């Protein structure tokens, strides 16, 4: 457990803030009294609603995390960030038999791992100067591979490894690092899951994330499904791997 974090009065930056979990995090930060949120999105026109609702507390930032120049420009502008949420993420359904699988894996890696790495590199100085907080939005699929999503899981595992590195390397500089591991959540990303598949609501996940950050939890499992996986991850990582493998086991 790390020290607790105060959101009220803080300045935050959220990548992929225009929809899904990122939008819910942004709204929740503002509800909890954040002084300012840099709402980052690839297309700033998608942030109009947020700006209308919250006025000057929302600062729109054009940011594609695969673009090193845009990340550097965002880091030059947003020098007062206390809390950085690496939330932007990409998932493309694929199977091991798909001949495009390497391209799909590269695209997911480019956003989920290299994107988070670029942001960490760009904002490390600011976070150290402000004794800030890094929140990497990973996935339960990054703790043990979900074979239904093989390449996405691998990209989230790489991101999880980066979270561990950041925690070890930045602790001495006073930066707090949280890994967040949500379960299935009702956003665009999961629109193709079979009907009846249980999903958490993004607002519920955002609340779980901010509660975990405020409480200083290093591993945040923000919804009931995630909490179940988290318990198994801590008690038996190998058992969790076997349970997820059983999801794709051929019928006997
Ligand atoms: N939904 C789930 O079940 C679930 C579960 C566990 C973890 N997560 C993680 O939670 C995070 C948010 O996912 P979500 O469910 O809210 O998905 P979503 O609704 O598909 O939203 C993805 C967000 O990421 C942005 N994004 C994608 N590529 C980007 C890039 N190159 N640069 C900047 N932004 C980019 C999208 O922007 P555009 O609008 O421009 O495309 C969008 O704002 C992701 O990291 C995801 O892996 C999701």
């Amino acid at each position: 457990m790390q020290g607790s974090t105060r959101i009220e009065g803080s300045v935050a930056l959220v990548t992929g803030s225009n929809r899904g979990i990122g939008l819910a995090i942004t709204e929740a930060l503002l509800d909890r009294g954040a002084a300012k949120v840099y709402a980052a999105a690839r297309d700033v026109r998608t942030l109009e609603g947020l700006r209308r609702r919250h006025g000057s507390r929302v600062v729109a930032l054009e940011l594609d995390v695969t673009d090193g120049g845009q990340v550097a420009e965002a880091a030059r502008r947003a020098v007062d960030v206390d809390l950085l949420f690496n939330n932007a993420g990409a998932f493309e359904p694929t199977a091991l038999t798909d001949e495009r699988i390497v391209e799909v894996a590269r695209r997911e890696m480019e956003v989920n791992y290299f994107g988070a790495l670029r942001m960490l590199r760009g904002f490390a100085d600011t976070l150290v100067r402000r004794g800030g907080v890094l929140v990497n939005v990973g996935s339960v699929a990054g703790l043990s591979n979900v074979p239904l999503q093989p390449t996405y899981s691998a990209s989230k595992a790489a991101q999880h490894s980066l979270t561990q590195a950041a925690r070890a390397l930045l602790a001495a500089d006073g930066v707090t690092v949280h890994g967040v591991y949500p379960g299935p959540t009702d956003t665009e990303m999961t629109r193709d899951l079979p009907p009846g598949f249980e999903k958490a609501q993004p607002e519920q996940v955002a609340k779980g994330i901010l509660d975990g950050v405020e409480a200083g939890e290093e591993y945040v499992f923000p919804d009931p499904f995630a909490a179940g996986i988290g318990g198994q991850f801590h008690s038996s990582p190998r058992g969790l791997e076997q349970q997820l493998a059983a999801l794709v086991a051929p019928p006997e």
Side-chain angles (χ1 to χ4, degrees):
M1 192 70 93
Q2 307 167 114
S4 60
T5 291
R6 201 176 155 77
I7 287 171
E8 193 180 354
S10 67
V11 176
L13 188 154
V14 183
T15 64
S17 66
N18 54 312
R19 61 187 169 95
I21 295 172
L23 176 59
I25 292 172
T26 304
E27 294 277 13
L29 284 165
L30 293 160
D31 281 352
R32 291 187 193 207
K36 178 165 75 177
V37 180
Y38 290 99
R42 290 193 283 194
D43 179 352
V44 291
R45 289 171 302 184
T46 58
L47 299 169
E48 267 316 305
L50 262 177
R51 278 152 50 100
R52 241 192 339 269
R53 285 193 294 283
H54 300 286
S56 60
R57 289 170 72 209
V58 169
V59 177
L61 215 53
E62 184 181 11
L63 183 57
D64 180 332
V65 298
T66 68
D67 182 329
Q70 285 192 7
V71 171
E73 178 55 27
R76 265 193 299 276
R77 263 187 77 186
V79 289
D80 52 353
V81 169
D82 303 305
L83 288 91
L84 172 62
F85 289 81
N86 275 326
N87 163 79
F91 162 63
E92 296 182 43
T94 187
L96 285 181
T97 48
D98 189 335
E99 62 185 24
R100 305 167 311 126
I101 192 165
V102 174
E103 285 72 41
V104 168
R106 264 194 232 287
R107 281 197 293 273
E108 290 171 334
M109 206 56 122
E110 196 55 50
V111 179
N112 299 342
Y113 172 63
F114 289 113
L117 179 58
R118 274 185 206 95
M119 290 297 290
L120 176 57
R121 170 73 196 84
F123 281 87
D125 287 349
T126 294
L127 291 177
V128 168
R129 189 165 32 79
R130 296 185 67 87
V133 175
L134 172 68
V135 185
N136 277 347
V137 180
S139 167
V140 290
L143 296 177
S144 190
N145 196 290
V146 176
L148 291 166
Q149 307 170 334
T151 55
Y152 170 77
S153 299
S155 70
K156 286 293 183 178
Q159 186 201 28
H160 168 60
S161 182
L162 179 66
T163 303
Q164 293 176 308
R167 184 175 295 126
L169 294 169
L170 296 178
D173 291 317
V175 177
T176 306
V177 177
H178 302 268
V180 173
Y181 308 94
T185 306
D186 193 7
T187 67
E188 275 290 293
M189 191 171 274
T190 56
R191 66 168 183 256
D192 295 329
L193 280 183
F197 204 95
E198 202 167 312
K199 302 177 196 174
Q201 290 307 304
E203 295 74 20
Q204 174 190 12
V205 171
K207 178 181 183 313
I209 293 172
L210 297 197
D211 286 350
V213 167
E214 289 199 306
E217 292 167 13
E218 292 185 338
Y219 283 63
V220 181
F221 296 100
D223 58 87
F225 180 92
I229 295 280
Q232 282 167 290
F233 170 71
H234 287 304
S235 62
S236 171
R238 178 73 180 122
L240 178 57
E241 180 186 338
Q242 286 166 330
Q243 182 194 324
L244 295 172
L247 295 175
V248 290
E252 297 196 354

